Amino acid sequence: MNAVSAVTAPYDAERVRADFPILAQQVNGHPLIYLDSAASGQRPLAVLRAVERYETHHHSNVHRGVHALSQAATEAFEGARERVRRFLNARSTREIVFVRGATEGINLVAQSLARPRFGPGDEILITGLEHHANIVPWQMVCEQSGCALKVAPIDRRGEVDIGRLLELLTARTRLVAVAHVSNALGTIVPVKRIIEAAHSSGALVLVDGAQAVPHGAVDVRELGCDFYAFSGHKLYGPTGIGVLFGREELLEEMPPWQGGGDMIRTVSFEKSTYNELPWKFEAGTPNISGAVGLAAAMDYLESLGLEAVAAHEQRLLALATAELERMPGIEIIGTAAHKAAVLSFTLRGCHPHDLGTILDSEGVAIRTGHHCAMPVMTFFDIPATARASFGCYNTEADVRALVTALGKAREVFG
Ligand code: PMP
C-alpha cells in the first residue's frame, strides 16, 4: 500500500456517506461526525443487506448437510472465502482461514506455529509500535516455549528504526511479527523491506494488517509475507469475523490449534485425524453471516476503488494535520513520513478523555486512551492520546467540525 496515490476521477465522499445509514443520525443534538474508523468502521447498506439476505433466506449450518439450505449456506460461506482470496491475491483458498479477527489470527500462529517449534535460543522479533494483539500472544509463547522476545525500537516520529531492526534480526530470529500500519500513530511500516530482510536471514514473517486493509490494496504474493491477519470490522464488514492468510506449505505443516467439529476427518477414542486446509483450523460452527458480510464489504470497497479511497483519506489527513499543527497547545503524536488515515494528538492541560467527552458533546466521535498500544504511550511518555481516524465516508466538513470542536475545547482548557 502507498501513502499517496495518484487519482484522476473525483471522489464523491458525500455520496459514499449516504451508503452508511448509521451516519445519518444526531448525537447530542449535532449531526454525527464519526472519526473512529480505526477502532471500527461502519457498515454500508450493501453489507447490511447481504447479511440480512443470508439470514433471511439461506441460513443453515455449513458443510455437512445434504439439504438445500445447508448447501446454500456452504456455497455462501465458501464463496466468501474465494472473495477473500481474490482480495488478497492469495494463490489458493486453502490459504484463507476464517477467524474471529486479527487477534485470533495472530494467536493461531503463536500457538500452532511458534509454540511447538520454538524453544530456548530462538527469538521472535516485533517492533515498538505494535498493538497488544501483536505483543501479548508472543509473550505467552515465550513463557510456554522458552524462546525470547526482541523489540525493534521506534523513533520520535513514530517510525520503526530499520537499522536497529536489521541488527536485531539474527540467525536466532525465527519469526518477525510486525504491523503493516500502526493503529496508535498511523505509521505505514515498510513491511516489504522487512519481509525481504527476514527471509534472507531465514525468519518467517507475520504481518498484522488490521489497520492496513481499509487503506490500500494488499497483495500477499507481492509482499511475500508468510502470514497476514486482519479483522472484518475495520474493513466495513461485521465484527466477529476476520482472516488469517498463511502460506499453504506452512499451514500444511502446522497442527490444528483448536479441536472440535469441522476440523476433523475421522474421530475415534484412540485417535482422530484432521481435515484438510483450511478447515483444519476452523473448529466448530463458523461465523457464516460474518463471512458473507465481509465478502460484501470487499465488493463494496473495491467498487469505490481502494486507490481512490486511499487518496481521499490522504487528502483529509493532510488537511487535518495542517489545521491541528496551527492550533497552539495541540501536539501531534506520530509524524512519520508515510501515514495512513490516523491522527493522534494531545491538547496541553487537558486529559484526552476530557477532550473526547467535550468533542462527543459536539457530536464528534474520536477515540481516546492508549489504543491498546501501551508501550507506544510509554515511549512518548504520555498516558494517552486523542485519535481521529478517517474512513471512506469522511468529508472535509468532518475535518472542519473536528477543528471547530477542538477550538471549543481549547477555550475551556486553553
Ligand atoms: N492490530 C491492530 C494494529 C489493531 O488496530 C487492532 C484493533 N485495534 C488489532 C490488531 C486487533 O483487532 P481485533 O480486536 O479486531 O482482533
Side-chain angles (χ1 to χ4, degrees):
M1 58 179 303
N2 298 316
V4 181
S5 315
V7 134
T8 44
Y11 182 87
D12 189 350
E14 289 293 348
R15 194 191 56 70
V16 173
R17 189 185 171 89
D19 290 338
F20 291 78
I22 201 170
L23 298 178
Q25 63 182 290
Q26 302 265 315
V27 167
N28 294 322
H30 299 272
L32 169 63
I33 309 293
Y34 189 74
L35 297 176
D36 197 19
S37 298
S40 202
Q42 299 297 351
R43 295 100 177 86
L45 260 180
V47 169
L48 302 175
R49 292 214 169 115
V51 171
E52 188 188 22
R53 209 165 33 246
Y54 168 78
E55 297 286 14
T56 311
H57 300 292
H58 305 303
H59 174 66
S60 176
N61 211 331
V62 287
H63 295 149
R64 291 168 301 274
V66 290
H67 62 78
L69 272 189
S70 176
Q71 286 180 18
T74 303
E75 260 172 44
F77 185 61
E78 293 305 328
R81 197 188 308 277
E82 166 56 22
R83 184 67 190 85
V84 175
R85 184 204 66 72
R86 268 195 292 134
F87 189 78
L88 293 177
N89 193 30
R91 269 198 186 80
S92 155
T93 49
R94 295 164 64 81
E95 302 186 310
I96 305 299
V97 179
F98 280 124
V99 287
R100 277 193 299 133
T103 303
E104 190 171 69
I106 297 168
N107 275 277
L108 190 163
V109 177
Q111 290 301 311
S112 173
L113 176 102
R115 187 176 183 178
R117 291 197 214 177
F118 298 2
D122 291 334
E123 292 175 0
I124 296 167
L125 178 57
I126 62 172
T127 81
L129 54 65
E130 302 306 321
H131 185 280
H132 298 163
N134 202 26
I135 302 173
V136 183
W138 308 118
Q139 288 175 326
M140 290 163 65
V141 156
C142 288
E143 274 175 29
Q144 290 157 345
S145 71
C147 68
L149 187 66
K150 298 281 163 176
V151 184
I154 54 173
D155 63 20
R156 296 300 300 174
R157 290 152 60 101
E159 297 193 350
V160 176
D161 182 339
I162 297 292
R164 281 293 292 139
L165 183 137
L166 295 178
E167 280 167 22
L168 288 165
L169 189 60
T170 69
R172 287 189 298 280
T173 314
R174 301 284 307 273
L175 179 87
V176 180
V178 60
H180 201 165
V181 169
S182 155
N183 68 311
L185 303 168
T187 313
I188 299 176
V189 178
V191 285
K192 192 165 160 72
R193 186 164 168 217
I194 294 172
I195 292 163
E196 282 163 6
H199 283 173
S200 45
S201 161
L204 297 172
V205 182
L206 173 141
V207 179
D208 169 2
Q211 294 293 341
V213 283
H215 305 300
V218 170
D219 180 331
V220 290
R221 273 193 268 179
E222 206 259 323
L223 278 180
C225 57
D226 301 292
F227 300 98
Y228 197 98
F230 66 93
S231 305
H233 68 101
K234 311 232 193 228
L235 192 72
Y236 313 110
T239 53
I241 186 77
V243 171
L244 175 71
F245 157 83
R247 277 204 297 117
E248 187 170 342
E249 312 84 274
L250 294 166
L251 292 178
E252 202 64 76
E253 289 167 11
M254 287 159 54
W257 79 306
Q258 290 178 338
D262 243 20
M263 53 71 72
I264 51 89
R265 191 186 302 277
T266 62
V267 175
S268 73
F269 289 121
E270 291 68 41
K271 182 172 168 55
S272 299
T273 58
Y274 305 129
N275 205 339
E276 55 188 72
L277 290 176
W279 305 290
K280 179 173 89 172
F281 292 107
E282 293 179 0
T285 301
N287 183 354
I288 310 164
S289 68
V292 168
L294 176 58
M298 290 175 171
D299 284 345
Y300 177 78
L301 200 51
E302 287 189 0
S303 77
L304 299 183
L306 277 149
E307 288 292 301
V309 170
H312 172 70
E313 291 170 348
Q314 285 295 321
R315 280 193 294 275
L316 297 183
L317 179 68
L319 177 65
T321 304
E323 291 287 346
L324 266 61
E325 272 172 351
R326 274 212 297 273
M327 296 180 106
I330 297 262
E331 188 187 352
I332 294 175
I333 308 294
T335 50
H338 299 294
K339 285 176 66 173
V342 169
L343 188 56
S344 255
F345 55 93
T346 56
L347 171 62
R348 196 169 46 236
C350 177
H351 191 282
H353 288 323
D354 296 331
L355 186 55
T357 306
I358 293 176
L359 265 55
D360 183 54
S361 70
E362 299 291 322
V364 178
I366 59 161
R367 185 135 301 236
T368 59
H370 53 60
H371 315 295
C372 292
M374 286 174 91
V376 171
M377 301 299 123
T378 306
F379 175 80
F380 284 100
D381 201 18
I382 47 179
T385 72
R387 182 188 72 185
S389 53
F390 306 104
C392 63
Y393 34 62
N394 288 118
T395 62
E396 290 186 11
D398 293 347
V399 175
R400 284 195 295 277
L402 170 70
V403 171
T404 305
L406 277 175
K408 292 192 177 160
R410 283 183 50 240
E411 280 167 22
V412 177
F413 288 95

